[in-house]
Amino acid sequence: MGTQGMGGRPGAGMGGRAGHTTERAEGTPAVAARAPGGARRVGLRLVAAVALLALAGCGSDQAASVAPKGWGTLETPSVTVAHPPAFKEQGEAERSRFNAAAATLTEDGRAVGTITVQLGFTEADSAEEAAIGAEAGIALGSTLKGQKEITVAGPEGRREARRIDFEFTRGPDRVRGVIVAGLDTARKAYAVRVDAVKGRLGDDDLKKIVESVAVR
């Protein structure tokens, strides 16, 4: 959104009982023939364990990175973020060279909202340092509303990030801004920034955008 945007520079057993030994012929499977109920319980425990492992491997982390129905997704080599259908993704020739991806919301031919992704914009060893670098891209005169710790989806679990909230005035408009900053899996800084003229992007949609951020 002009110079105000990011273009300028987150020990189960086997059914036996203690003290009880069941002899079986060599090579015979260890089936609890005299305790079919126990065998069924063991089977159910195994099924439950497999289900828990599946949930642990593809639970909330993957769900958090899936775009809501009807939304689009900005894809970069390190970070993805969903955008409402009213936002239109910019091609490489349209967006700033500092942005790895961008989408814009327009009304009457002017931009009233943007979502941008920047990669490797600063040297950082932590999410906190990445956030400091991201704050440097906020225009002078902006009002910082606060910074807080959040997490974003990743391939091996939730990853630490920072959310920065701020506001600034652009012409006749008061603009609300949010930045999600952190390190990707290669420990390179990233920043996902959302700018929107007040009243143009609902709190629910903003929440969905932030929650959709995922690193690769």
Side-chain angles (χ1 to χ4, degrees), residues 23 31 177 185:
E23 295 184 0
V31 177
T185 55

Side-chain angles (χ1 to χ4, degrees), residues 47-75:
V47 170
V50 171
L52 286 173
L53 287 172
L55 286 173
C58 59
S60 59
D61 296 323
Q62 288 191 2
S65 65
V66 175
K69 185 176 181 180
W71 285 37
T73 303
L74 296 180
E75 302 269 357

Side-chain angles (χ1 to χ4, degrees), residues 119-155:
L119 305 176
F121 60 93
T122 188
E123 295 292 330
D125 293 322
S126 66
E128 183 177 8
E129 289 183 8
I132 293 171
E135 284 186 3
I138 299 174
L140 291 175
S142 298
T143 303
L144 285 174
K145 296 293 187 178
Q147 180 188 133
K148 64 181 180 179
E149 297 181 9
I150 64 170
T151 60
V152 299

Side-chain angles (χ1 to χ4, degrees), residues 122-210:
T122 188
E123 295 292 330
D125 293 322
S126 66
E128 183 177 8
E129 289 183 8
I132 293 171
E135 284 186 3
I138 299 174
L140 291 175
S142 298
T143 303
L144 285 174
K145 296 293 187 178
Q147 180 188 133
K148 64 181 180 179
E149 297 181 9
I150 64 170
T151 60
V152 299
E156 296 179 354
R158 306 296 296 180
R159 298 181 64 89
E160 181 183 1
R162 294 290 188 275
R163 171 175 170 161
I164 307 161
D165 287 80
F166 58 99
E167 290 184 2
F168 60 89
T169 299
R170 190 192 65 178
D173 301 318
R174 191 64 176 168
V175 180
R176 179 183 184 184
V178 173
I179 299 174
V180 175
L183 302 181
D184 62 22
T185 55
R187 298 195 61 77
K188 301 294 184 182
Y190 72 85
V192 176
R193 176 166 171 165
V194 184
D195 290 340
V197 172
K198 282 195 167 183
R200 300 303 197 278
L201 182 66
D203 290 343
D204 186 55
D205 281 348
L206 177 60
K207 182 174 182 287
K208 290 177 181 178
I209 293 169
V210 171

Side-chain angles (χ1 to χ4, degrees), residues 54-145:
L55 286 173
C58 59
S60 59
D61 296 323
Q62 288 191 2
S65 65
V66 175
K69 185 176 181 180
W71 285 37
T73 303
L74 296 180
E75 302 269 357
T76 76
S78 302
V79 182
T80 64
V81 59
H83 63 81
F87 282 73
K88 304 305 178 185
E89 184 172 357
Q90 294 181 342
E92 186 174 355
E94 300 174 273
R95 66 177 181 261
S96 164
R97 65 188 180 89
F98 298 109
N99 294 330
T104 305
L105 174 67
T106 59
E107 287 183 4
D108 300 323
R110 72 186 187 102
V112 295
T114 60
I115 303 172
T116 59
V117 182
Q118 285 194 353
L119 305 176
F121 60 93
T122 188
E123 295 292 330
D125 293 322
S126 66
E128 183 177 8
E129 289 183 8
I132 293 171
E135 284 186 3
I138 299 174
L140 291 175
S142 298
T143 303
L144 285 174
K145 296 293 187 178

